[in-house]
Amino acid sequence: MIACLRLFTALCLAALLAACASSPSSSLGELPRTPDASLEQLLQEASATKDPEKSALLRLSATDLAIRQHNNQRAEQILAQVPLDQLKPAQQVFASTLAAELAMSRNQPKEALAALNHPSVSRLNEMPADLQTRTHMVRAQALEADGQTLAAARERVTMGQGLTGEPANSNNEDIWALVAALPADQLRTPEPGVLGGWMSLALAVKSASSLQEQQDAIDQWRAQNPTHPAAIQLPATLIKLKELASQPLTKIALLLPQDGQLASVSKALRDGFMAAHYQAQQAGQNPPSIQFYDSSRLTSVDDFYRQAQADGVQLVVGPLEKSLVKQLNVHQQLPITTLALNYSEGGAQGPAQLFQFGLAAEDEAREVARRAHADGLTSAGAMVPQGEWGDRVLKAFRDEWEANGGTIVGVEHIDKPVALAQQVADLVQLRKTGGSSQPSRRQDMQFIFLAATPQQAQQIKPTLNYQYAGDIPVYATSHVYSANGDQNQYKDMNGIRFCETPWLLDTANPLRQQVAAQWPQAGGSLGRLYAMGVDAYQLSSRLGQLKALPENRIDGLSGSLSMDPTQRIERQLPWAEFVNGQVQRLPDTPN
């Protein structure tokens, strides 16, 4: 009886070991696969066998099974017992892929990419197709999570060469989502082959200023690239554009205050809006007609909408007043689609017909977090104004920064000018070391997030230098830039990096030059409002597009515009730095 049991156990072990291996080639080594066995059975047999390679194969199989069962902690423990350097190449690729998948489960894309940097992965094209696909997939996911959007698209294009049917279609949709998220400048970078085709399609769609132009551009691209995967099966989001193009916009209501405290802001917005309208006319387009309404004389928003409906209005742009936007946001629905030029408080979802757009400081705070993360920084200090505005800006920065794994090690709320120097010292936590009388700064703060006026920044930067902390980079919102051309002021802020609207950084833009020639104030800080007016006009015909295609962006003059799930327009901004009294444009954040 005992002999029979021993024979049965031996046969089971042999079957289990055979089921755990497949052999792509003798030189590459056998590959594990998940057998019909439990996790505990695999680990038991791995401990029982005296063959190191078989033991490693069983543990790799057990790791794979634990991942499939979403037991990632156990998978980490098992994989740690596998001697990677002693494995054959195919097994090393498999183990590296498992390690990358586990790193992604922890939201650590850089660790995933490091795992896939093992020398054995250079032989991936010699591996079985299913392993190639799996490795390409996790690398693409890691690259995307790390902000390397173009590289992620390139990885998926490579992966797509081995796919057919529904997996190929799904991968193509993912490629389109990645490429469509690239800025226009990056899309213009020459790229050969299939990826170059995807990029030229995305550029054609982005470059069109109307839905009809987009349709024409897509049709022309398909005619020029008949064998490209996107020509054979158009991405689902582009198919939706055909439906949107069949609903032309013919009349817009511009609802802005003509009197009161916001009159000057309103004028800049209106002038920018109409400048874009006239530019569309000059380009031979057939833009919608514009009818003006004075929101400062409104007694009832419901009465306004009734009048606008009677006038044949299809879209309302405005109001600007936050109190009116708040009223609109609590409506169950609106009779006319509306692009408000401000944001309601609280971030609550409004009616389906309400979209909101403005120059939100929160956008810039998030932009600082994204830029610092892209620059490889992980720990921050922060200086923001005392009060509700500063609290909102700090929260937006904190949420975005911590979501990307960053930490905030110190915060100071700017209040009175006389206290500013001491607040700078408190933030960097200067202290004497050993017997030295020379102070030193804390070493756990890699940069400072700054939301401050130019006058405050003029005081803060020299104080950092005085406090032996001048080497701490400062990343600021646009509020530090007065755009008045004062080189002496700029020199006091030397080295500060800040995000800013394309309107103020790209002075060669033809529309900006036309507007500034007519209204010189548009070349200064008021230019941000002119840019917002221009972009409100661009958005007016593309709200449906952004809602239907959430990965799409519009390269506007107030920033690169996208829509969040609550139908609020968010801006991403280019960057500049004060260098020897000049404003120097910085390269865009890498994708």
Side-chain angles (χ1 to χ4, degrees):
M1 182 69 176
I2 293 175
C4 290
L5 285 175
R6 286 175 179 168
L7 177 61
F8 177 74
T9 302
L11 289 172
C12 288
L13 177 57
L16 188 58
L17 293 175
C20 286
S22 60
S23 179
S25 76
S26 58
S27 63
L28 293 175
E30 296 177 332
L31 275 176
R33 65 172 184 262
T34 303
D36 295 329
S38 70
L39 196 61
E40 298 308 324
Q41 285 176 310
L42 290 170
L43 294 175
Q44 183 180 355
E45 299 301 346
S47 299
T49 182
K50 295 181 180 180
D51 185 335
E53 183 175 356
K54 297 294 186 183
S55 177
L57 283 169
L58 283 161
R59 285 196 166 89
L60 288 175
S61 248
T63 303
D64 187 22
L65 181 58
I67 290 174
R68 294 176 191 275
Q69 294 175 345
H70 306 290
N71 190 351
N72 293 333
Q73 185 175 0
R74 187 73 185 279
E76 298 263 13
Q77 296 168 350
I78 299 169
L79 187 60
Q81 299 174 29
V82 178
L84 181 63
D85 293 340
Q86 298 175 24
L87 301 179
K88 291 184 178 178
Q91 298 155 9
Q92 290 176 325
V93 173
F94 190 81
S96 298
T97 301
L98 294 176
E101 290 174 346
L102 289 169
M104 288 304 296
S105 74
R106 302 189 303 269
N107 193 29
Q108 294 178 325
K110 291 187 184 301
E111 286 194 17
L113 293 172
L116 294 172
N117 200 34
H118 191 272
S120 62
V121 182
S122 64
R123 302 181 66 179
L124 182 61
N125 61 352
E126 302 175 48
M127 304 297 160
D130 56 346
L131 178 56
Q132 289 189 43
T133 298
R134 186 170 178 177
T135 306
H136 283 306
M137 175 68 79
V138 69
R139 180 185 276 153
Q141 292 169 343
L143 288 167
E144 180 180 1
D146 194 46
Q148 300 183 58
T149 309
L150 180 56
R154 187 178 293 114
E155 193 72 22
R156 284 193 174 274
V157 168
T158 302
M159 181 175 76
Q161 296 171 2
L163 299 177
T164 59
E166 181 53 35
N169 291 337
S170 177
N171 186 55
N172 286 339
E173 294 289 344
D174 290 330
I175 293 171
W176 172 250
L178 289 165
V179 172
L182 293 172
D185 287 347
Q186 198 164 9
L187 291 173
R188 294 188 182 95
T189 304
E191 189 79 29
V194 174
L195 180 56
W198 284 109
M199 293 172 68
S200 65
L201 174 59
L203 182 61
V205 172
K206 278 181 179 285
S207 300
S209 58
S210 69
L211 286 171
Q212 187 55 55
E213 285 186 11
Q214 285 180 325
Q215 282 304 303
D216 294 342
I218 292 169
D219 292 342
Q220 183 178 1
W221 180 90
R222 295 182 80 176
Q224 295 170 347
N225 301 271
T227 62
H228 191 278
I232 297 170
Q233 177 62 53
L234 200 64
T237 51
L238 295 187
I239 294 175
K240 292 181 182 179
L241 288 180
K242 292 184 180 294
E243 302 171 9
L244 297 172
S246 64
Q247 305 165 9
L249 179 64
T250 59
K251 190 169 187 177
I252 295 175
L254 190 57
L255 177 64
L256 291 171
Q258 294 183 16
D259 298 310
Q261 293 181 335
L262 293 174
S264 59
V265 172
S266 171
K267 184 179 185 305
L269 289 170
R270 183 173 62 251
D271 290 343
F273 188 91
M274 294 308 298
H277 176 72
Y278 295 136
Q279 183 188 52
Q281 286 182 329
Q282 293 168 3
Q285 299 174 17
N286 185 26
S289 62
I290 313 296
Q291 185 160 339
F292 299 96
Y293 297 83
D294 185 0
S295 61
S296 61
R297 300 183 183 278
L298 279 187
T299 56
S300 164
V301 292
D302 294 329
D303 288 346
F304 159 74
Y305 276 105
R306 279 191 284 270
Q307 182 62 54
Q309 279 184 303
D311 293 339
V313 168
Q314 295 169 290
L315 174 75
V316 176
V317 176
L320 172 63
E321 300 92 328
K322 187 176 283 288
S323 60
L324 293 178
V325 179
K326 183 178 179 181
Q327 289 183 44
L328 297 181
N329 200 63
V330 298
H331 277 60
Q332 291 298 314
Q333 61 179 6
L334 299 176
I336 305 175
T337 300
T338 300
L339 175 62
L341 298 180
N342 211 326
Y343 297 101
S344 60
E345 297 175 357
Q349 177 76 57
Q353 301 80 13
L354 180 62
F355 300 84
Q356 301 178 43
F357 172 49
L359 301 180
E362 290 91 333
D363 287 338
E364 301 188 17
R366 288 186 284 265
E367 181 63 45
V368 170
R370 285 190 291 264
R371 180 76 190 208
H373 174 71
D375 288 347
L377 305 177
T378 57
S379 64
M383 299 194 78
V384 299
Q386 189 80 27
E388 185 267 341
W389 185 89
D391 292 341
R392 285 193 288 111
V393 170
L394 178 61
K395 182 181 185 304
F397 171 76
R398 184 188 299 275
D399 289 348
E400 183 77 18
W401 181 241
E402 293 180 349
N404 286 319
T407 58
I408 298 178
V409 297
V411 176
E412 286 291 330
H413 293 273
I414 304 169
D415 190 8
K416 298 177 181 178
V418 294
L420 198 52
Q422 184 59 49
Q423 288 182 303
V424 172
D426 291 343
L427 180 66
V428 295
Q429 291 188 4
L430 302 178
R431 53 190 177 275
K432 295 180 181 180
T433 57
S436 172
S437 62
Q438 292 295 323
S440 63
R441 72 166 177 88
R442 60 189 301 169
Q443 298 301 309
D444 61 346
M445 184 181 297
Q446 295 177 319
F447 78 102
I448 294 172
F449 162 54
L450 178 64
T453 65
Q455 292 73 26
Q456 290 168 330
Q458 275 186 280
Q459 186 177 350
I460 289 169
K461 192 63 172 70
T463 303
L464 285 171
N465 297 335
Y466 177 75
Q467 298 286 8
Y468 300 93
D471 59 335
I472 301 181
V474 178
Y475 288 60
T477 62
S478 68
H479 303 87
V480 301
Y481 182 42
S482 62
N484 62 5
D486 184 351
Q487 292 191 14
N488 290 326
Q489 183 186 66
Y490 299 165
K491 285 181 179 178
D492 288 339
M493 296 184 283
N494 201 45
I496 292 181
R497 295 183 163 198
F498 63 98
C499 54
E500 183 52 88
T501 59
W503 180 276
L504 290 181
L505 294 184
D506 300 336
T507 56
N509 180 276
L511 180 58
R512 180 202 187 278
Q513 291 181 335
Q514 290 177 21
V515 171
Q518 185 169 354
W519 298 291
Q521 65 270 24
S525 59
L526 270 178
R528 300 181 183 111
L529 294 170
Y530 285 88
M532 180 181 162
V534 171
D535 286 354
Y537 184 83
Q538 304 298 339
L539 285 166
S540 64
S541 62
R542 300 177 75 171
L543 292 173
Q545 173 196 344
L546 289 179
K547 185 174 182 177
L549 315 176
E551 76 277 6
N552 268 23
R553 306 192 71 87
I554 295 175
D555 291 325
L557 292 175
S558 67
S560 177
L561 310 177
S562 62
M563 186 182 296
D564 76 5
T566 66
Q567 300 188 170
R568 296 177 178 226
I569 303 300
E570 291 188 343
R571 298 179 301 137
Q572 290 188 10
L573 302 171
W575 281 80
E577 181 177 358
F578 294 111
V579 179
N580 298 324
Q582 302 292 327
V583 174
Q584 181 174 303
R585 175 75 182 266
L586 295 173
D588 289 336
T589 304
N591 284 286

